Amino acid sequence: MTTLAPVRHWLADVAARPGGEGGSELLLPQGMTAADAWSAVLDASDISADELARRVAARFRLRVASLETGDPRAQALVPESLARRHLLYPLRETDRQLVVATCDPTDLEAEQAVGFAAGRTPVFEIAPPAAIQRAIDAHYAPDRAVERLLDRVDAEMATEVRVVDEQAPELVAARDLESAPVVKLTGLILTDAVRGGASDVHLEPGREGGLVRFRIDGVLRTHMTLPMPALNRVVSRIKVMGKMDIADRLRPQDGRTRIQVDGRTLDLRLSTVPTREAEKAVIRLLDPSNSRGLEDLQIPASELARFRQLLLHRNGIVVVTGPTGSGKTTTLYAALKQVATGEVNVMTVEDPIEYELPGTTQIQVEPRRGVTFASALRSILRQDPNVIFIGEIRDLETAEIAVQAALTGHLVLATIHANDAVGAIARFVDLGLDHARTPRRSASTG
């Protein structure tokens, strides 16, 4: 009786090509699924998944797939059940063809099923099965993609962020105790930002995926990348936290909330803007307990002495300048802590109010209610102030009122966007202020 030798899986032959170390010794049963065969080859050899994809593509004279360039119109032609059953990911389509990524170009059943479902001729490109699975999860079930990201994260760490009521920080809203993957991922991002000392979190959409970046010490640093559906859900979660309209994605929105991380209560200032394909969100992290004094800012002794001298004046304007994230507001809050002794009336106009300062009256700008920097300043001048703090001088009207207040017996502290102290003069002139009335006292941070 003659015994027939077992027929090897086609992937073993591909792995056994010259350069496939150990591939010639692989014995893969013919009936093994393509995904299992890929795993066996990768486990038993030094071949990387990308290299094996290139070898399979060369063997069958196909292209290597780029999974980041999936077209939503092509993805709409293939049902999720079909994509998962045959491990296929649609990439792009024409009137006659549909290009799909596969790890098994010999799967005739998959070819026929795709052709029937899409009404187009399938064209295969090659990708590793694990990469195809991630792409399917990201497109068809974003929550599963988020779950995969969280598989490597300690469950307790991902749920340490708690949204708390504005008036009662010790109370936790029940809906925020849910354990949905998007809630955990949002909590993970915020926890990492707080522990990393970030001042801002940027959630940025892109064609090939979303980007999460932290601003630390004034510099934006990439923290993680996310599939776009996952990033969109995180942005929606942020909007829910800030009591913003999640259905409106066509207009900029602002919101605020308060969270607890590691026992610390922080204020969040939230901002979203529409982009070409999604929304970008920026979160500013503010720790009310982190308001510093002038001596904590590491300002050189000679400059600190000059700055303290400026704060002793009863009138005039002190302008702090510098690029984004250089510490303008931090510097002026430290100055306010020094002048707010209880013997003077200190009033502020801010957008937003970043820290709560005892002994001061702080006014939040609310343009929708008619409260602008200029209108609030006009009202403040009737409140017998000694010191006025302006969060930012942005327009000519605000600049004129600030200078007028400085000339009529008030000490005005303000910030303005300029790269250095000398540039503040040019900035005031650009706003339209008469050069003869341009402030002469300024300080530069950074």
Side-chain angles (χ1 to χ4, degrees), residues 75-145:
Q75 294 159 356
L77 296 174
V78 178
E80 179 182 359
S81 58
L82 175 59
R84 293 191 182 279
R85 183 167 66 252
H86 293 287
L87 205 58
L88 301 168
Y89 185 67
L91 296 174
R92 53 191 179 277
E93 54 91 27
T94 66
D95 291 339
R96 297 183 178 182
Q97 294 183 330
L98 175 64
V99 180
V100 295
T102 182
C103 63
D104 185 2
T106 69
D107 190 348
L108 296 180
E109 182 183 348
E111 186 175 359
Q112 294 173 354
V114 171
F116 180 79
R120 290 165 172 77
T121 301
V123 176
F124 284 158
E125 293 186 358
I126 306 301
I132 295 175
Q133 185 65 61
R134 288 194 297 270
I136 292 174
D137 287 344
H139 172 69
Y140 293 103
D143 282 348
R144 294 191 185 183

Side-chain angles (χ1 to χ4, degrees), residues 197-200 256 258 264-269 284-293 297 327-337 346-364 389 391:
S199 61
D200 300 87
R256 58 186 297 180
R258 183 172 293 178
R264 297 164 56 192
T265 300
L266 297 97
D267 292 325
L268 303 188
R269 300 294 182 265
R284 170 150 291 189
L285 305 172
L286 303 169
D287 186 349
S289 65
N290 199 32
S291 180
R292 304 176 182 179
L297 300 183
K328 299 186 295 296
T329 303
T330 301
T331 300
L332 283 183
Y333 267 105
L336 287 174
K337 288 184 68 174
V346 180
M347 304 190 72
T348 77
V349 185
E350 306 172 63
D351 183 22
I353 297 175
E354 299 197 6
Y355 302 105
E356 296 179 5
L357 289 176
T360 65
T361 301
Q362 296 174 273
I363 300 174
Q364 169 72 49
F389 168 51

